[in-house]
Amino acid sequence: MIVRWETNHDYVLVHIHQDMFGDWIFSRAWGQIGTQFGGLKHQLADTLEQAQMWLEDETTIQSSRGFRKVLDVADHTPEGQEAMRQLSLLDAL
């Protein structure tokens, strides 16, 4: 699952996925659109339900900050694959 929020200048992207060990990972990337400014953080969730709860919290936080949801897709969709490509570029920084 990939969810992205944006304002006119900033973005936040969350990716929930399982790693090769079956652990649930909650990845959060943020930054300024069109720049290299930002960050990336990975958190290990105990369960998928915990990761989904973190996503609900993130949705509330971003909404309160004036961000609008612009993407909510599964990993395997073309849109999800493009978001994953962008996320992997951040991981290399």
Side-chain angles (χ1 to χ4, degrees):
M1 170 184 302
I2 300 171
V3 181
R4 180 178 170 114
W5 299 268
E6 292 181 358
T7 65
N8 291 336
H9 306 286
D10 301 311
Y11 72 91
V12 175
L13 184 138
V14 168
H15 180 219
I16 297 174
H17 62 282
Q18 271 187 304
D19 66 10
M20 63 184 187
F21 302 108
D23 294 324
W24 287 101
I25 308 298
F26 182 91
S27 299
R28 181 179 180 273
W30 64 92
Q32 294 177 345
I33 295 172
T35 72
Q36 294 295 320
F37 297 112
L40 178 63
K41 181 179 180 181
H42 303 285
Q43 292 177 263
L44 179 64
D46 293 330
T47 62
L48 173 59
E49 291 75 23
Q50 182 181 36
Q52 290 171 330
M53 182 181 68
W54 291 345
L55 177 60
E56 291 172 15
D57 292 346
E58 193 70 36
T59 299
T60 301
I61 291 166
Q62 298 314 321
S63 177
S64 72
R65 292 179 177 170
F67 282 72
R68 64 192 178 288
K69 188 186 291 187
V70 297
L71 182 69
D72 190 347
V73 297
D75 300 19
H76 62 276
T77 63
E79 297 87 357
Q81 291 297 316
E82 176 60 20
M84 287 299 303
R85 188 187 69 74
Q86 292 173 7
L87 189 59
S88 67
L89 290 174
L90 288 173
D91 223 359
L93 296 177

